[in-house]
Amino acid sequence: MPSSRKRAKGKARKATQQANKQCEHGLLPKTSPRCWDFMDKFLAVMSSADSIMSTATPEAWSMAVFCHFKESNKDGGFFNLLSSEAEKKWGRSYLLGLATALLVDDITSASAWATQTACSIALFISEVEESEIGWIVDDKVPLLNPKTRDLIQGNERDVVRFLKKRIKCNCLNDLYKQTKKLPKVGRCSGCQKQMARKDLMICKDCRVAQYCSIGCQKQDWPEHKETCNACVSR
């Protein structure tokens, strides 16, 4: 029977090995060369949006990267590379793993760029999940549900919760516990004032737009009308 010292060394060795084994956050095995092409094109799209980071607000950055993703998907874009169901499942696992890694891995965890890019990827995953035509994202008005509305407003609490519900590992557990304590905040669609979500009124038709007062809602109606109708008809 090994001595207590040997057992302690064995446990320490196993702990070190486990720490050195980097989690892939549920990434599925690649099923074809098309998966590599998808990775390359997706990362290229992310890089093409980097130039606006220094001047954009967090919300503008999230929306800009999200729009880059959508634009690059038109006319045979990167999602069209994933033809089989197995490839589509891999693509979803890749996006979830990438967004999770940006939030929890090493230096990037404290980076505004990492947080907002994770938010953008979460927005894109949400758009894919909501799309009626599967993994080819359409060109309709985006962000037509409360989930994507809260994501685009840059709430780290909502981004972490969105990803945690979808990944297979426990890597977001600690961050989830931290961000769960953050207040639920939203933004008035009229004056853009940020405030507690519970104090905002919801448009009764689209259930997406939020307002701090009836006055703001009336003033914003000419701008909101088209989006509201699109939400109701979708």
Side-chain angles (χ1 to χ4, degrees):
M1 184 174 179
S3 66
S4 58
R5 181 179 294 179
K6 286 184 177 180
R7 286 198 300 270
K9 285 184 177 180
K11 289 181 179 179
R13 192 183 306 113
K14 286 182 180 179
T16 302
Q17 290 172 348
Q18 187 64 28
N20 291 335
K21 183 181 178 182
Q22 188 172 356
C23 180
E24 293 188 324
H25 312 305
L27 178 65
L28 296 173
K30 299 178 183 65
T31 59
S32 77
R34 285 188 291 268
C35 294
W36 290 102
D37 293 337
F38 175 89
M39 283 178 55
D40 291 340
K41 290 193 175 185
F42 190 85
L43 293 174
V45 171
M46 286 180 57
S47 297
S48 69
D50 280 354
S51 60
I52 69 164
M53 181 55 183
S54 60
T55 57
T57 63
E59 288 182 37
W61 162 249
S62 297
M63 191 62 195
V65 177
F66 172 79
C67 289
H68 270 68
F69 293 164
K70 288 196 67 173
E71 184 65 29
S72 298
N73 189 59
K74 292 181 180 178
D75 303 322
F78 52 77
F79 267 121
N80 299 33
L81 293 169
L82 306 178
S83 55
S84 70
E85 286 302 315
E87 289 171 353
K88 292 174 184 177
K89 288 181 180 178
W90 175 86
R92 184 175 183 274
S93 76
Y94 170 71
L95 293 179
L96 288 170
L98 179 59
T100 301
L102 286 167
L103 292 176
V104 302
D105 288 356
D106 304 324
I107 300 173
T108 60
S109 60
S111 165
W113 177 90
T115 301
Q116 293 307 319
T117 304
C119 175
S120 301
I121 296 172
L123 280 168
F124 198 78
I125 295 170
S126 178
E127 178 79 356
V128 168
E129 291 176 350
E130 295 292 330
S131 175
E132 295 179 355
I133 53 176
W135 278 75
I136 303 176
V137 180
D138 60 28
D139 57 358
K140 295 178 182 177
V141 179
L143 314 175
L144 299 183
N145 62 68
K147 178 171 58 183
T148 48
R149 175 203 63 206
D150 295 337
L151 287 173
I152 193 59
Q153 291 176 356
N155 293 319
E156 187 181 11
R157 185 183 195 277
D158 296 294
V159 176
V160 172
R161 182 174 181 270
F162 178 91
L163 296 172
K164 184 182 180 300
K165 288 175 64 176
R166 289 162 174 79
I167 61 172
K168 304 292 185 181
C169 62
N170 298 318
C171 293
L172 282 175
N173 284 6
D174 290 341
L175 188 58
Y176 177 73
K177 290 177 183 177
Q178 296 173 23
T179 57
K180 194 176 181 181
K181 299 175 184 178
L182 297 174
K184 296 180 181 180
V185 295
R187 193 177 297 277
C188 174
S189 298
C191 66
Q192 300 300 309
K193 180 181 178 182
Q194 190 178 61
M195 57 195 302
R197 208 177 289 169
K198 63 182 178 62
D199 295 330
L200 290 164
M201 302 182 298
I202 306 294
C203 174
K204 65 180 180 62
D205 292 326
C206 68
R207 309 298 299 174
V208 175
Q210 304 174 116
Y211 296 98
C212 62
S213 67
I214 295 177
C216 257
Q217 184 178 20
K218 289 182 177 179
Q219 188 174 0
D220 187 55
W221 176 244
E223 294 290 331
H224 175 58
K225 183 177 180 179
E226 183 179 353
T227 304
C228 187
N229 291 336
C231 287
V232 173
S233 61
R234 187 169 183 174

